[in-house]
Structure formats: C-alpha cells, structure tokens
Amino acid sequence: MSINFKFPESVIPGQLLCPAFDIKEENDKSIVYEYIAGPGTRLQKHNLNGTVVNIINSTLVGTVKIEEDFKMDSSNLDELNETAEDEKNHSNNGTREIKKIKVSVVHKRNNTSSEVDNELTNNLPKEGDIVLAKVTRITLQNVSLEILAVENSPVPIDSGVGSNGHGVVAAGAGSGSASYSVSQTSSDFGDPFRGTLRSQDVRATERDSVKIIECFKPGDIVRAQILSLGDGVNYYLTTAKDDLGVVFAKSGNGAGNQMYALDWETMVVPSTGATEKRKCAKPF
Amino acid sequence: MTLSIAEKSYLYDSLTASPSIRPDGRKPHQFRPIEVSTDFLPSSNGSSRIISGDGSECIVSVKAKVIDHTLSDEELIQVDLDIAGERTDSPQVETLMSLLNKVLKSGPGFEHSRLQLTERYSFKIFIDILVISSNCNPASLISFAMFSALNTTTLPKLISSFDDLKVEELPMFDDYDLVNLKLKSPLVFLLAIVGNNLIVDPDANESEVCDNAIIVTWLDGKIRSPIRTLTLNNSYSKGFDPTLLQKGLKLIEENAAAVLTALESS
Amino acid sequence: MNVQDRRRLLGPSNAKPIVFSAATDIQSSEPKKDESSSFILNSGLIENCNGSSLVEIRDPKVTQHQTSLITSVYGPRATKGSFTSQASLSIQLKNGSSEKYNTTELKEVSSFLVNVFNSVINLSRYPKSGIDIFIYILYDKVLSEESKKSNNISAILPYCISAITLALINAGIEVDDIATAGYYKGDVISFIKNGEEVIGYWKDEGNCESFDVALEHCKTEAQKFKNLITTHILEE
C-alpha cells in the first residue's frame, strides 16, 4: 500500500502539502485517503481558481512526517464509519475503502538533536502527556509543582529558567518586565508552567488515606501525567500509575545524598542506609 | 457578555450568508441608533454626549487656549482620551488616542489655519474624551461625539487687529460675543469583514466573530487617512480578499454623507 | 508573606549543567546577503529567547530608509490569570538610541502588528500561554529628502512584519504562512497566501484615490520580501 501523493521532503511555513481528501482507483476498488492535519500543519481553506478547497499546509520549517492507518478517538471513528457506510450505500459497486493518514511537520531545530525521540514538535504539555516536574510546595491536600519538561520533547530555550537556574533573562526583556504584557506579573526568574497534584491523584489505591508528606518533599523531581489543562494557573497532574511518581530525590530535605527507590513507597540512601518515604516511580 | 462557541458559530454562519443576516436585523450599511446632546457643560467651549443603542456612552469636552504659534509648530488640536476602567497607558487607550490625534491632524479639507487668530496667536483646542461605557470598539462613537462637539463649539470673538507682528499686543476679545467655530472634523467608521460580507458599525456580538475590521476616516465626501485594519477578536481573526477592501471603502463613501446629515441636524 | 523561595534548593546562581557538546560546526558569522546586497537577514542571534532575527535594510536605491531591527520571540510560556484556550500575543516596539518615534505612536503600531499576527499565528495550538515579541529599532535613518519632513513610521512597517515573521519561524512557532508586507506612498498592505489574502492595511497619509496601484505595488514588494525570507530559511 502506498500513498499516491508525493510529499515534499522539507517544507517551509505556508507551503501546501496535500488536499483534505484524495481518491485512487485500484483493482476496481476506490481508495479514499483522508488526510488529517497533525502537529506543524493546519487545515485551511484556499482559493484555487475560484473554488474554495480544504488544503493542509505546513506551519513550520522542517520535514514532513506521515503516519498511515492513523487511529482516531473511538467517538470520531464511529462517526466516520457511519459516513463511510453511507457512502458505501450511495456508490454502486460498493467497494470503497477509507484510509486515514496523519500528516505532521517536525521542526528543523528539534530534529537535529538526536538524544530524545522528537515525536512532539510542540513544547506545550497536553492532556495525557508525561511530564517531569519539580515539587515546590506541599500542603495536606495538594502538591504544587513546576513543570520542567514534557517527555519526548525538548524544553524551549527560555522557559524553566527559574527552575534549573541557568540562562540569563536580560533586563527589559520577557513578559515580566513589560507592564502590559500577556502575563502581567511574573517573577524575575522566568515563568514555568505550574502544576498541581491533589492527594486523591497520588496513587490508584487507597486514595483517601494518602498522606502527602509520606509521598513527596519539596525539591523532588516527579514524573507525572497531565490530567487536564486545568485552570488559568495550574495544570492538573496525576501520579496514579506504576511508572509515575518520584524519580529523583535527595535525603534530609535535599541536604543529603541522592536516594534510590527500594520499593514503591520507600527510598534509600545507599551509603548510610537511611530510608525515607516517597511515592516512587517504577524505575524500569 | 460572551457567547458560547456554538452561539458564535451560529452567528458567524448567519453573518457569512448571502445576504448577511445580522442578529438585530440591520442592513449591512445600517447604523445603530444614537442619541446626541450638545452644549451641556457650562465651563467648556463645546461639549457633547453621545449614547448608543447598546448602552455605550461617551462625553466630549472642547476647551481652547490662546498660544503663540510662532514659537512652536505643535499641532493646534490635541486629543486626550480616558476610557473608564482602563489605565491611561494601556494599549487600547494609547492606540485609540494615537489614531484620534492622526484623524484630527491638519490636512487638506481640514485646515487648522481656521484656528488662527492673528498673525501671531492661535487658538489651541484641547479635546477631552471620556468613554463612560463601551461594549465594542468606541472609535466610531468617539468621532461622532467629537464632530458634534466641534460643530457646536463657540469661541470668544476677537476685537483686536489681525496684524500684530509689528505691534506687540495680546489679542483682545469681546466680553460677551462668541463666534461659532463650525469646524467639521472627519468621521471615523468601523467596518467589519465576515467571510465575503461587509457590515458597518458591528455590535459587541458581531465583533466577537468577525474575521477582520477596517477603520476608515471620511471627510467631506472623500475617504482619507488614517485607514487601518484591526482585529476585534482573537479567535476568529483571519485574512480577507483584497477586493473587500475596495468594496468597503466604497460602501463608506456611499453611506457616510447620510450620517453627516443626521449628525448636523441634531 | 506569600513569596515563595523557589531557589532554595538550587546551586549557585552561576552554576550550569554539564553540556557535552557535539562537535558542531561553528556558524559563520558572515551575514548572508542577497543579490542586491541591500537586505540582510539573520536569525537565531539572541541565545536566551526562543527565536530571534536581525533585519537590516541599507540600499538607498531600493528603499528610502536605512533601518536595522532586532526582534526576539519569547514563549510560548505560562500566563497568569484566567484560563485561555489559545495563546495571547503581545508585541512591543521600542525605539533605539535615536528616540525617533513617540511612544504613543509605537504603541499604536504595536497593536496593529498584534492584529496582523493574530491572523497568522496558529494560536489555538498554544493554550494557556503567552507569546511575547520584542522589536528594537536599532537604527533608522530616512534617506530621501522628500520623506524626511514627515516623521513617518509607515515605511518601516513592512520591515517590522518581515522581522517578526522570520523570528517566529526561527522560534518554531506555528504560522499559517510567511506574512510580508509592501509599502507604496503611505500605504502599507500585508499579505499571506501569495497575495490572495490581506491581513493588514495601514494608511497614515494621503487620500485614497490610487488604491489599485498601491495594492499592486505592495503585492510585488511583499512577494519580494517573501522570496528573501524563503531563500534565507532554505539556506540555513
């Protein structure tokens, strides 16, 4: 099976990639290709010779990536199946196949670094993404975190400046300094995306008897999943999975040595043998 | 009041229909009713208050000062704008103020030389605008209010001689008599673009869904600068067909005179 | 006190993580010039922002201005306040040492540029975030005697638009198309989609009699800028 559409290899913003639908005749069977705009692309109406056509165009400089037999959410799929059946009834020969293809553009700069799998061109955390976050504050009900990075995607150069301490924000630059900017108040150390983790979302079992102090301490690095985009300030996070939880912590409130997970709720300092309670992520 | 996504989509579809269907049943070139009252501030040379059908309200006051125009070449009309609830250095206020100052800049058809008193002295006009409440972009409403205020402005009558370059003397004014300034200021129109349709004077809901908008200045039968496009919302803003610009300017040219007559008769 | 000391557990402020740099080629600092050597485009100069560009225009034959603009793009980054389903854009235009334009006018131009780029940037891709763009007018000199009298900012608007477009592309922020603009006798018109769609129109002087002519002129000029930007991107 091959796509009968020739995609350019490297693209620039505004370059037209493909129409929303394409049809191909093969062995008395017509295959309908439905192209879906993924990250780095956008479906837009273009005026071609007086008719308005839906065309996917690139929005980034980079390389085109194509995923065939792309699976959509089940709800969407049902809908599409219905329309497909409708179409089947309408067409006389009844041999029509719909193939969904996701088209996305991978940003050039992200593509060059080889350490991470750059499936996401977009730096922003989305629902369902796994993020690494640092605990900044704990209360009885909540853990406040700063999101450091989205797994499998690189950190934008200017964000997270406050969290990892490096990088220089020039005076008179950044949204904080401009009195009428998008973010009206900000710290002088950049603006990390913030997250909050409720005590009910710490683990999947015995949700009601979670003691935050026995699960997280300020300074811990936590692997968490985004539950929702949350409110204006915080993303809502969860660690209610085996592979989510504390991945990096130091003993004695950050004063001691690095600890390693002993089991899912204990961490140990190898040199002293001291243990502390944490909700650990499964290391493997 | 903000519309839900579904409501916006419905409104957008009805506005892009051919011909466009506006929520309040107006024609594309029809304005909302306004109510103008003038000369109600006793301490200023001219004043007006304008109320739009949707509750937007704006007060304009005109004051004059005698200055020696040989000393500096500053503009003889200066606008100061205050929008209730906005800081004076917010982008909205500054942008609008800069635009209004450009609207009232001296140019062909709108000569500031009419403000000249003698060889040496001129009136400098200070226009203070207070937008008490506004639901959508107030540029058009303000310009109507400025027009009414300037049209009814009365200034003291000069009784000393015009030629005062040789003789050093300050201009003298009559104690009672006032002369009508009758300065016809340019009008500003807001024109929204939705799909392939153009609508004048968009209300708050229409502003929420329009693709783009044009601010057009009109004086004495002609379109003049400044003209700019602006987007009235973030979510629906997109590009438009260049021919719509021409159509829009023509639409204003055809209908502006009627607005002028209405404002003058008030 | 509601201030939290977020740096308490950090190392010294000048501590930097160890970076094992791959043997990357040192980029030649020689700016790339186009055929007429009047436009110099450069991107990625500023290191602590997501994207940046330097646009210099210097040939008196092509344009009446000699201008140099530095643009930096910060973000998308977190915003404070209520939830927004798409990014909010802010653009700040700043005078260089010359202090040529007054701040009210610069603010007006800034909000015009925001209007233009609202229709270009794929804002819905970036919920809860803000994109901040700063343009610094490093140098601006009017060359022709005729336009020297009116201290007009319109003429440098197309350069600003090209500079922002280039910086946004450098930052990897999704844009629908390469937005450019042209200038003709006081009219500035900005286009996308090969001149089929207008995204901005600015006019500060003159009457509106020769709109068709202005449209054509601006379209050709915008196309020229677009070609320059395209070649610049491809060369990188």
Side-chain angles (χ1 to χ4, degrees):
Chain A
M1 187 193 76
S2 64
I3 309 165
N4 67 335
F5 202 82
K6 188 88 181 134
F7 281 96
E9 201 158 89
S10 60
V11 288
I12 56 165
Q15 193 167 339
L16 306 184
L17 297 177
C18 59
F21 291 98
D22 197 11
I23 216 164
K24 185 188 178 186
E25 299 288 339
E26 198 176 74
N27 309 333
D28 301 336
K29 220 168 93 176
S30 58
I31 305 170
V32 179
Y33 292 100
E34 186 192 356
Y35 296 99
I36 294 153
T41 62
R42 195 178 196 185
L43 185 67
Q44 280 195 306
K45 286 190 170 69
H46 283 261
N47 195 347
L48 285 186
N49 304 329
T51 49
V52 178
V53 209
N54 283 324
I55 294 178
I56 295 176
N57 69 330
S58 162
T59 55
L60 288 173
V61 184
T63 47
V64 180
K65 205 178 128 207
I66 293 146
E67 286 168 68
E68 287 182 40
D69 294 330
F70 174 68
K71 293 271 184 300
M72 299 245 288
D73 298 345
S74 55
S75 57
N76 287 344
L77 213 58
D78 289 347
E79 204 176 279
L80 282 165
N81 282 345
E82 267 173 37
T83 53
E85 270 167 31
D86 284 353
E87 279 167 16
K88 233 174 226 172
N89 296 341
H90 287 300
S91 62
N92 295 329
N93 49 12
T95 48
R96 178 176 280 187
E97 204 181 323
I98 295 186
K99 286 209 169 82
K100 282 186 249 321
I101 292 150
K102 185 180 174 187
V103 185
S104 44
V105 172
V106 181
H107 185 41
K108 201 169 109 195
R109 186 167 67 196
N110 299 348
N111 217 14
T112 50
S113 70
S114 53
E115 288 104 53
V116 280
D117 171 23
N118 287 300
E119 208 158 282
L120 293 164
T121 48
N122 198 330
N123 296 319
L124 295 187
K126 294 192 299 291
E127 249 168 72
D129 279 353
I130 307 283
V131 294
L132 285 176
K134 185 164 118 175
V135 178
T136 54
R137 199 164 70 119
I138 55 171
T139 64
L140 286 174
Q141 291 84 32
N142 272 304
V143 186
S144 304
L145 306 110
E146 276 178 9
I147 295 172
L148 305 176
V150 180
E151 205 158 273
N152 288 338
S153 82
V155 196
I157 294 169
D158 66 341
S159 82
V161 178
S163 318
N164 50 26
H166 70 84
V168 192
V169 174
S175 54
S177 64
S179 55
Y180 276 95
S181 177
V182 279
S183 49
Q184 298 216 335
T185 53
S186 84
S187 66
D188 46 350
F189 301 124
D191 300 300
F193 286 95
R194 286 166 203 284
T196 183
L197 173 64
R198 300 180 308 156
S199 63
Q200 296 97 302
D201 295 323
V202 170
R203 59 184 185 222
T205 54
E206 293 179 56
R207 300 164 161 258
D208 300 331
S209 56
V210 172
K211 282 184 183 151
I212 294 282
I213 193 75
E214 290 178 359
C215 299
F216 302 102
K217 293 270 170 66
D220 292 357
I221 306 291
V222 178
R223 189 163 179 262
Q225 190 173 23
I226 307 266
L227 270 183
S228 81
L229 293 180
D231 54 19
V233 185
N234 292 310
Y235 283 86
Y236 292 160
L237 307 176
T238 177
T239 54
K241 267 184 187 171
D242 283 351
D243 55 346
L244 303 176
V246 177
V247 288
F248 179 93
K250 285 188 165 179
S251 64
N253 287 332
N257 287 324
Q258 198 188 332
M259 301 193 289
Y260 296 91
L262 203 61
D263 58 42
W264 75 272
E265 51 182 359
T266 325
M267 283 188 118
V268 65
V269 186
S271 55
T272 62
T275 59
E276 281 186 26
K277 290 216 152 192
R278 292 286 198 285
K279 196 287 177 189
C280 306
K282 200 175 166 184
F284 307 110
Chain B
M1 182 185 67
T2 44
L3 296 176
S4 70
I5 292 171
E7 285 168 323
K8 279 186 191 173
S9 166
Y10 175 80
L11 184 57
Y12 185 80
D13 285 348
S14 61
L15 286 176
T16 44
S18 178
S20 65
I21 305 160
R22 301 179 72 168
D24 48 7
R26 276 189 285 158
K27 293 191 187 79
H29 60 268
Q30 196 176 350
F31 288 78
R32 284 170 296 178
I34 48 167
E35 193 183 305
V36 189
S37 46
T38 52
D39 255 340
F40 65 97
L41 291 176
S43 58
S44 55
N45 296 87
S47 58
S48 75
R49 171 169 177 256
I50 191 162
I51 306 165
S52 166
D54 67 345
S56 302
E57 188 173 350
C58 165
I59 291 176
V60 170
S61 143
V62 178
K63 288 194 177 192
K65 179 189 167 187
V66 177
I67 58 153
D68 188 340
H69 65 248
T70 52
L71 292 179
S72 71
D73 55 351
E74 58 185 315
E75 289 283 330
L76 289 177
I77 298 183
Q78 197 186 326
V79 180
D80 196 37
L81 173 69
D82 196 0
I83 300 179
E86 294 277 344
R87 278 177 58 153
T88 41
D89 58 348
S90 74
Q92 199 205 343
V93 175
E94 296 236 20
T95 303
L96 207 50
M97 204 152 87
S98 170
L99 177 82
L100 292 172
N101 274 313
K102 279 175 187 165
V103 167
L104 294 180
K105 226 163 106 176
S106 182
F110 185 66
E111 267 101 16
H112 286 186
S113 54
R114 292 196 49 187
L115 294 167
Q116 191 174 353
L117 275 171
T118 62
E119 291 279 350
R120 221 181 153 129
Y121 291 98
S122 289
F123 275 123
K124 180 165 181 177
I125 302 271
F126 294 89
I127 304 177
D128 292 292
I129 303 160
L130 172 64
V131 179
I132 296 168
S133 67
S134 70
N135 299 311
C136 49
N137 194 305
S140 194
L141 199 68
I142 290 173
S143 86
F144 294 166
M146 281 199 311
F147 178 87
S148 328
L150 282 172
N151 198 30
T152 53
T153 295
T154 48
L155 293 169
K157 190 181 180 188
L158 185 80
I159 47 171
S160 57
S161 66
F162 180 79
D163 182 21
D164 60 350
L165 269 183
K166 289 176 189 117
V167 266
E168 288 282 330
E169 65 162 353
L170 287 170
M172 295 268 285
F173 297 101
D174 192 282
D175 283 351
Y176 304 104
D177 270 3
L178 295 167
V179 272
N180 205 329
L181 178 64
K182 282 206 171 130
L183 197 60
K184 305 271 184 220
S185 70
L187 295 176
V188 174
F189 295 97
L190 188 64
L191 191 69
I193 300 170
V194 199
N196 281 321
N197 292 333
L198 293 154
I199 47 174
V200 294
D201 192 25
D203 65 19
N205 292 338
E206 288 164 342
S207 302
E208 284 285 303
V209 298
C210 65
D211 296 343
N212 230 311
I214 322 171
I215 281 193
V216 185
T217 316
W218 180 89
L219 178 74
D220 199 19
K222 275 196 199 105
I223 304 281
R224 72 200 290 266
S225 59
I227 307 171
R228 0 204 149 300
T229 54
L230 78 166
T231 51
L232 300 173
N233 59 65
N234 288 340
S235 39
Y236 275 83
S237 45
K238 53 169 116 44
F240 56 91
D241 195 329
T243 52
L244 284 174
L245 257 179
Q246 273 158 296
K247 271 191 212 158
L249 298 180
K250 215 171 146 216
L251 185 72
I252 294 298
E253 221 159 26
E254 283 164 4
N255 294 293
V259 177
L260 183 77
T261 333
L263 279 174
E264 276 180 328
S265 66
S266 68
Chain C
M1 272 249 293
N2 202 17
V3 180
Q4 46 173 299
D5 179 10
R6 290 191 287 103
R7 308 194 80 196
R8 189 152 43 94
L9 292 162
L10 302 170
S13 61
N14 56 353
K16 286 188 177 176
I18 303 168
V19 179
F20 297 100
S21 59
T24 49
D25 299 332
I26 296 160
Q27 274 196 341
S28 62
S29 55
E30 191 69 23
K32 293 181 180 84
K33 297 176 176 186
D34 79 315
E35 65 288 340
S36 61
S37 80
S38 58
F39 295 88
I40 295 175
L41 303 175
N42 221 322
S43 49
L45 289 170
I46 304 171
E47 282 190 354
N48 69 341
C49 62
N50 266 351
S52 57
S53 73
L54 168 69
V55 171
E56 290 196 330
I57 294 96
R58 47 165 78 158
D59 193 349
K61 277 176 226 146
V62 183
T63 151
Q64 299 163 342
H65 272 241
Q66 191 169 348
T67 313
S68 174
L69 301 166
I70 285 192
T71 312
S72 52
V73 175
Y74 289 82
R77 58 216 249 158
T79 49
K80 309 247 165 75
S82 57
F83 180 85
T84 49
S85 61
Q86 57 174 22
S88 48
L89 181 66
S90 94
I91 296 179
Q92 311 262 327
L93 191 58
K94 281 185 181 155
N95 268 318
S97 50
S98 59
E99 298 289 333
K100 198 173 160 191
Y101 305 103
N102 71 47
T103 44
T104 324
E105 190 168 34
L106 286 178
K107 280 234 171 103
E108 196 192 359
V109 175
S110 303
S111 68
F112 174 74
L113 290 171
V114 170
N115 286 334
V116 167
F117 281 93
N118 262 340
S119 349
V120 183
I121 301 176
N122 193 354
L123 292 170
S124 50
R125 222 27 131 197
Y126 307 100
K128 289 177 63 157
S129 10
I131 298 169
D132 292 309
I133 301 172
F134 296 87
I135 317 171
Y136 191 70
I137 306 169
L138 212 58
Y139 179 76
D140 183 36
K141 188 179 163 193
V142 184
L143 297 172
S144 75
E145 285 298 321
E146 168 200 4
S147 49
K148 221 169 221 169
K149 284 174 285 173
S150 61
N151 194 12
N152 207 331
I153 200 165
S154 325
I156 66 161
L157 257 174
Y159 311 145
C160 292
I161 290 174
S162 303
I164 296 173
T165 304
L166 197 58
L168 283 172
I169 291 169
N170 183 245
I173 288 172
E174 296 194 15
V175 284
D176 286 347
D177 200 352
I178 296 174
T180 49
Y183 172 80
Y184 179 74
K185 289 188 180 167
D187 290 31
V188 177
I189 310 177
S190 178
F191 297 93
I192 49 168
K193 295 182 185 167
N194 285 326
E196 268 172 40
E197 277 189 15
V198 175
I199 48 168
Y201 178 45
W202 171 285
K203 185 181 176 68
D204 253 359
E205 53 187 33
N207 286 326
C208 210
E209 277 142 8
S210 53
F211 181 75
D212 297 336
V213 191
L215 188 74
E216 280 314 308
H217 268 91
C218 291
K219 207 182 252 186
T220 10
E221 205 174 307
Q223 196 59 41
K224 195 177 74 188
F225 278 122
K226 190 180 172 180
N227 292 340
L228 281 172
I229 293 176
T230 312
T231 27
H232 173 76
I233 300 168
L234 294 177
E235 270 174 19
E236 277 212 325

